Amino acid sequence: EKVNSACGVAIIAARNSKNVSRFVSIGNPDRVRDFARNIGPLSGYVAGKESSERILEDIFGDDGCVIRPTFIYGGTEFGLTPPRVTSSVGNVVKMALSLEPFPTLSQILPGPLGIALEAPTSVEDVAAASINSALGLPGLEDKVSIEGGREIAIAASKRPRSPGVLKSIEISMKNDPTAAVKRRDGLKRSLVKAAVTNLDIGSNEEKAYATAEEIMEELEPLRPKARPSSDGSMNAKWAFVFTGKPSVGMKLLSTLSSLSKMLTFLIDFEDTFLEIGDEQSTVRVVIAMKLLGISVELVVLSKLLPDRECKHGTMMSEKMEGISFAGIQVPVPEILQSPRTMEITYIDEDIMIARTAGAEPHFLLRESPCEQDDETCDVPAPYFEEAREKFGDKIAQKLLDRSLLSA
């Protein structure tokens, strides 16, 4: 009780300093408290939390927020006070409890039974949600409570705008538009060279990735499209080149690529691409392969929605809708369907740069300016064709799996 009540003292001190405009605290859902309140050793814990939150509401009002996870996991060590499991174990438990019927049972079962079946939340998500709430990022500035794994994951996926993107495009080009265009073209060529044609495996790989990131940061303020999230040029077929923290789709891609190398008699990885269509509202990650000689496709389908509150026209929300294999729908854990924010920081006729939570970059190369079912389109995308000439027909897989570049 004394430890949790001390948070109230910190809240008062923060307000008295006059330098703190927003305060975020870590709490618990009501049903966790209702259960813990009746357990002797935990009753003081609950009383301390509630005391601090009353002070937070009284002093900060709508400028205070409480993050309310159930069970938090993370790190590399187990603990009992407070109870903790490692990231590796927590991730497995989270995936398992995200599968039906556990989410439904968690909501309908009373007390400890329902609590025990709720998927835990990673310490990284709790930390990111807390920081983003304290910063008052769009969509979080008015929230006084963020409760449960889904809401916390959404809050954690938001990110501050990078300094490079915050620079005005007009400032970049107002003095000499021609020079700015030349600079942009030069940076694009350097980026493709660093991330595609000269990205060697082994000791130089980390350096090449770092170089590509530096070029992207310099290129982003020079984007020719003022509001990328609503620009029709997104509707096209794209090849994966460079990714930061891998998404679910990227993990599937890399896993299948590895399997195809080990089980050549079983799987022949033929192609992979990302396709945006329906006026930049749908995303299809397509993995084409032969399974025992039969052509099949694994498709990860997501929905895209522009963030109407983003005055820069770069922010979007992505939500996985489903997975199909050979035309058959595959059950998807609820936790994988949580929306995440994505920022289109650069797009033109050749490349696209998107950043997800934590500012991890995703660099995509336009493979075709048309959607897959557009039979009238035969316009080649120049940078992709150059890469194909160097790496052959397996270029899509080789861009995804760098170990194949020397094959």
Side-chain angles (χ1 to χ4, degrees), residues 14-304:
R15 177 54 85 192
N16 290 340
S17 74
K18 300 186 185 302
N19 293 320
V20 179
S21 60
R22 188 166 173 81
F23 197 100
V24 179
S25 175
I26 306 299
N28 322 98
D30 287 341
R31 68 174 182 166
V32 172
R33 291 198 183 166
D34 291 341
F35 166 67
R37 187 178 286 110
N38 299 317
I39 299 177
L42 296 178
S43 60
Y45 170 90
V46 173
K49 285 283 188 185
E50 291 177 335
S51 173
S52 293
E53 288 172 18
R54 284 193 295 270
I55 295 172
L56 177 63
E57 183 177 1
D58 290 342
I59 293 180
F60 278 89
D62 291 343
D63 292 322
C65 180
V66 182
I67 311 291
R68 302 180 186 277
T70 49
F71 185 82
I72 303 174
Y73 70 90
T76 57
E77 297 181 357
F78 290 91
L80 294 176
T81 53
R84 286 287 184 272
V85 298
T86 63
S87 292
S88 56
V89 173
N91 283 328
V92 173
V93 174
K94 181 178 180 178
M95 290 290 289
L97 292 181
S98 297
L99 295 169
E100 289 292 354
F102 296 117
T104 300
L105 290 173
S106 173
Q107 296 301 314
I108 62 177
L109 290 176
L113 293 176
I115 294 169
L117 292 179
E118 185 169 342
T121 305
S122 73
V123 67
E124 291 85 2
D125 276 356
V126 173
S130 301
I131 292 170
N132 291 344
S133 178
L135 291 172
L137 297 190
L140 300 178
E141 65 270 44
D142 298 325
K143 277 189 171 290
V144 297
S145 177
I146 299 173
E147 183 170 333
R150 178 182 288 274
E151 282 195 17
I152 292 172
I154 293 172
S157 73
K158 296 181 181 291
R159 74 176 188 88
R161 299 182 61 78
S162 65
V165 178
L166 284 173
K167 296 178 183 177
S168 168
I169 303 169
E170 288 75 18
I171 291 176
S172 301
M173 295 190 170
K174 70 177 182 179
N175 293 328
D176 189 349
T178 303
V181 171
K182 289 180 179 178
R183 178 62 179 155
R184 183 172 63 221
D185 290 344
L187 287 169
K188 283 169 56 179
R189 177 60 64 182
S190 297
L191 176 58
V192 172
K193 183 177 181 181
V196 181
T197 55
N198 280 4
L199 183 51
D200 299 322
I201 60 173
S203 60
N204 294 327
E205 186 172 7
E206 185 175 341
K207 182 179 178 181
Y209 271 93
T211 300
E213 282 206 64
E214 291 172 0
I215 298 170
M216 281 190 276
E217 289 179 359
E218 191 172 350
L219 180 62
E220 284 166 329
L222 299 172
R223 67 174 187 267
K225 308 290 186 179
R227 301 184 65 82
S229 66
S230 58
D231 194 279
S233 62
M234 283 181 63
N235 297 281
K237 185 177 178 182
W238 301 87
F240 297 100
V241 176
F242 181 101
T243 62
K245 183 178 180 180
S247 62
V248 175
M250 291 304 299
K251 289 177 181 178
L252 280 172
L253 290 173
S254 57
T255 299
L256 283 170
S257 178
S258 300
L259 285 174
S260 70
K261 287 186 294 183
M262 295 185 294
L263 305 171
T264 54
F265 65 93
L266 179 64
I267 301 175
D268 182 13
F269 191 111
E270 294 188 313
D271 193 13
T272 181
F273 57 87
L274 178 146
E275 183 182 51
I276 300 176
D278 298 327
E279 298 181 346
Q280 60 273 3
S281 67
T282 61
V283 178
R284 296 173 70 243
V285 176
V286 180
I287 307 158
M289 68 188 84
K290 282 189 176 179
L291 189 62
L292 294 175
I294 301 173
S295 294
V296 294
E297 285 187 347
L298 176 66
V299 179
V300 180
L301 179 65
S302 301
K303 284 288 186 182
L304 278 180

